[in-house]
Amino acid sequence: MAALMTVRGSFPFIRRLVSVQHLRKWCSSSRVQKAPVVRTPHSYPISGFNQHRFFRTSYAAAGPILQFKLSDIGEGIMEVTVKEWYVKEGDRVSQFDSICEVQSDKASVTITSRYDGVIRKLYYDIDSIALVGMPLVDIETDGGQAPEEDVMETPAVSQEEHTHQEIKGHKTQATPAVRRLAMENNIKLSEVVGTGKDGRILKEDILNFIARQTGAILPPSPFHEIQPPPPAPAAPVAKPKEMSPSPSIPAPIAPRPVFTGKDHTEPLKGFHKAMVKTMTAALKIPHFGYKDEVDLTRLVRLRSELKGASESRGVKLSYMPFFIKAASLGLLHFPILNASVDEACQNITYKAAHNIGLAMDTTQGLLVPNVKNVQMLSVFEIAVELNRLQSLGASGQLGTADLTGGTFTLSNIGSIGGTYAKPVILPPEVAIGALGKLQVLPRFNANDEVVKAHIMNVSWSADHRIIDGATMCRFSNLWKSYLENPGSMVLDLK
């Protein structure tokens, strides 16, 4: 017989039990059951066979079951797709534990719990559409927790960016102390790359991020660049065999590949759905195209001289920081290219910040993160920010702050291949440029001599409702002059 049991019944009746045998018979009846929660214990001694045993009575009280609703994640998003559940029914969770990952048409979001308790119900299956304001899960909370009011805030001012919702593609792992340090310094955990086990964000990661934001020079850190796969080795050429006297056997004909799959239909979701929406709006814009070639011979030489110094600081220096900075210097002279128009095309808004986006091919599809306030950054600072965005893009952790607010875009399609393109404007922007691959081609110099030149083609598209061809041409010429004579950029750098 256990020393402690939970007993329901009238107290006088319990006191009248004088023998263990009677107690055993009574315990087998339906009035004895175990309760999940033990509160307000009362102990009563029972004598029998010259020994004392103590039995405890209690009241069974489970915590309330609360509906945890999907809060507003900003940007006018009203529905998301549930991509992954981190819990199942019956699992115990604590505050800040990850519950699920959802994906909107702009970014991925990890939803974390605001309660301590047990998951009692999941409202959605994988790849189902969840609506803002509707419940995600039911949580049986521990006693004393009251339901919280749903706060409908935008990410710009919401404190939930650091608590219950992290705009990122993976489960956020950080201790409360690290989260508090991030909140005190107004840092979004989605922008910090964790170096701990399984991507956990450490205190050192927050401090290093603060140092980078304040312009401090950090010790070198390895940067893993995504390298294209090496070319497949050429298959060895088989030597022709000598003809044998036996009759020749005709070589078997290779059978044609037969498509044996079945058609299937699936709904557009996430970033693909966002692309449909954006490109549909872009088709309403009358595009004006302009193309040219740029001689980057001097820039190639300059980058080779600065590459070592940049890598000694732990930053990979590509040509893109120069392209972005030259574009920003050009936008200072042609601010209409850094503007936006309303849907009715009745008003033009000239943007003060040069938030230049970079079209990026990621595992999640085409994403366009942007470098904020390029007009205030040096070439090296732009390279630092590009390294950060590329790391987040490779790991699927680009957040809403990185993907929104762009004012001008460059697409480095040449990193994959091709020379000229026809880029499509990303509304509400009014201009975009596509950069071709860098080629070594023969060109004539000033002395009519054939020399080796590093040539890159550029393709511009502009909103012809507010930008005329001459403006786009003059901007392109200025941008081209900065890159062909990179020393001239020094005169205009701030």
Side-chain angles (χ1 to χ4, degrees):
M1 175 65 75
L4 294 177
M5 291 187 64
T6 301
V7 181
R8 284 184 179 177
S10 61
F11 296 157
F13 174 75
I14 297 176
R15 287 195 293 269
R16 287 198 296 269
L17 296 178
V18 294
S19 68
V20 177
Q21 182 178 5
H22 291 165
L23 179 62
R24 287 176 177 172
K25 292 181 179 180
W26 187 84
C27 288
S28 63
S29 68
S30 61
R31 290 179 297 174
V32 179
Q33 60 180 352
K34 293 185 179 181
V37 181
V38 178
R39 295 184 180 179
T40 318
H42 303 278
S43 300
Y44 301 92
I46 296 180
S47 301
F49 301 104
N50 297 325
Q51 67 182 29
H52 297 278
R53 299 197 179 199
F54 293 88
F55 297 88
R56 182 172 297 176
T57 65
S58 66
Y59 304 99
I65 296 179
L66 303 179
Q67 290 184 337
F68 180 37
K69 299 180 179 179
L70 175 63
S71 299
D72 183 13
I73 59 178
E75 299 294 327
I77 296 171
M78 299 306 298
E79 64 180 28
V80 296
T81 302
V82 178
K83 302 302 294 183
E84 182 179 2
W85 284 106
Y86 298 130
V87 297
K88 61 182 181 297
E89 293 182 2
D91 285 355
R92 170 165 288 278
V93 295
S94 302
Q95 292 188 46
F96 308 116
D97 283 354
S98 295
I99 293 180
C100 65
E101 177 190 337
V102 300
Q103 186 179 74
S104 70
D105 58 357
K106 295 182 182 294
S108 295
V109 181
T110 296
I111 307 297
T112 60
S113 175
R114 65 177 62 162
Y115 305 116
D116 296 331
V118 178
I119 301 294
R120 290 306 180 195
K121 182 179 180 180
L122 305 180
Y123 279 85
Y124 301 99
D125 296 326
I126 299 296
D127 291 332
S128 298
I129 302 297
L131 302 178
V132 171
M134 301 301 291
L136 279 175
V137 295
D138 285 349
I139 302 179
E140 181 181 330
T141 61
D142 296 341
Q145 298 187 76
E148 299 182 10
E149 295 292 333
D150 291 329
V151 181
M152 309 298 281
E153 297 177 307
T154 59
V157 296
S158 174
Q159 293 297 324
E160 301 216 349
E161 286 182 342
H162 302 282
T163 55
H164 305 306
Q165 296 185 12
E166 288 297 334
I167 311 297
K168 56 194 299 187
H170 290 282
K171 183 176 179 180
T172 302
Q173 299 189 56
T175 63
V178 172
R179 294 178 183 272
R180 189 180 307 111
L181 179 63
M183 290 180 61
E184 292 173 351
N185 291 275
N186 196 27
I187 295 175
K188 300 175 185 177
L189 292 179
S190 61
E191 298 180 354
V192 181
V193 179
T195 60
K197 183 180 180 181
D198 298 328
R200 181 180 297 275
I201 299 176
L202 307 177
K203 178 180 178 182
E204 291 75 13
D205 300 328
I206 300 295
L207 296 178
N208 289 338
F209 184 84
I210 295 173
R212 286 195 295 269
Q213 293 296 97
T214 55
I217 297 177
L218 301 176
S221 60
F223 174 78
H224 302 285
E225 181 185 4
I226 302 177
Q227 298 287 349
V237 180
K239 296 182 179 180
K241 296 183 178 180
E242 297 181 357
M243 297 296 296
S244 59
S246 60
S248 59
I249 301 175
I253 301 175
R256 284 188 173 184
V258 179
F259 180 73
T260 58
K262 295 182 179 180
D263 297 347
H264 70 282
T265 303
E266 60 182 24
L268 289 172
K269 300 175 183 178
F271 294 110
H272 290 109
K273 188 174 182 180
M275 183 179 295
V276 171
K277 180 180 178 181
T278 302
M279 293 298 101
T280 301
L283 287 177
K284 301 177 182 179
I285 301 174
H287 283 56
F288 168 79
Y290 178 81
K291 298 174 174 61
D292 201 356
E293 72 173 31
V294 187
D295 187 348
L296 299 180
T297 303
R298 293 185 181 180
L299 181 61
V300 170
R301 190 181 307 119
L302 175 63
R303 174 182 173 268
S304 64
E305 295 173 358
L306 300 177
K307 185 177 179 181
S310 178
E311 291 180 350
S312 67
R313 301 184 186 184
V315 177
K316 176 183 177 294
L317 181 63
S318 64
Y319 294 106
M320 188 55 64
F322 296 96
F323 299 155
I324 292 176
K325 188 60 182 180
S328 178
L329 294 176
L331 293 176
L332 293 174
H333 295 272
F334 300 93
I336 195 172
L337 296 176
N338 195 58
S340 64
V341 293
D342 55 15
E343 292 186 3
C345 201
Q346 298 296 317
N347 301 284
I348 302 177
T349 302
Y350 292 88
K351 303 291 187 178
H354 295 174
N355 298 340
I356 299 181
L358 173 65
M360 187 179 297
D361 182 34
T362 70
T363 55
Q364 296 174 296
L366 176 65
L367 300 179
V368 189
N370 58 84
V371 180
K372 301 290 194 296
N373 297 306
V374 175
Q375 78 280 4
M376 301 174 60
L377 302 179
S378 66
V379 172
F380 179 77
E381 290 170 334
I382 296 172
V384 172
E385 181 66 2
L386 284 179
N387 279 217
R388 184 185 71 85
L389 294 175
Q390 289 168 348
S391 297
L392 293 176
S395 58
Q397 294 182 338
L398 286 170
T400 300
D402 298 320
L403 297 171
T404 56
T407 61
F408 186 88
T409 299
L410 292 176
S411 173
N412 189 20
I413 190 65
S415 62
I416 300 176
T419 53
Y420 290 105
K422 187 180 179 181
V424 180
I425 299 171
L426 300 176
E429 300 175 17
V430 296
I432 184 175
L435 311 176
K437 64 181 179 181
L438 186 61
Q439 304 177 87
V440 178
L441 300 173
R443 289 295 184 268
F444 288 99
N445 62 12
N447 299 323
D448 290 336
E449 298 171 343
V450 177
V451 296
K452 182 176 67 174
H454 293 79
I455 303 298
M456 181 189 72
N457 303 112
V458 60
S459 305
W460 302 103
S461 291
D463 188 339
H464 213 355
R465 295 175 296 180
I466 62 172
I467 300 173
D468 54 44
T471 300
M472 190 74 252
C473 179
R474 293 188 181 99
F475 168 82
S476 180
N477 290 340
L478 181 59
W479 179 79
K480 174 180 176 180
S481 67
Y482 283 132
L483 298 177
E484 291 187 338
N485 301 283
S488 63
M489 296 176 62
V490 177
L491 296 178
D492 295 327
L493 290 178
K494 295 184 179 180

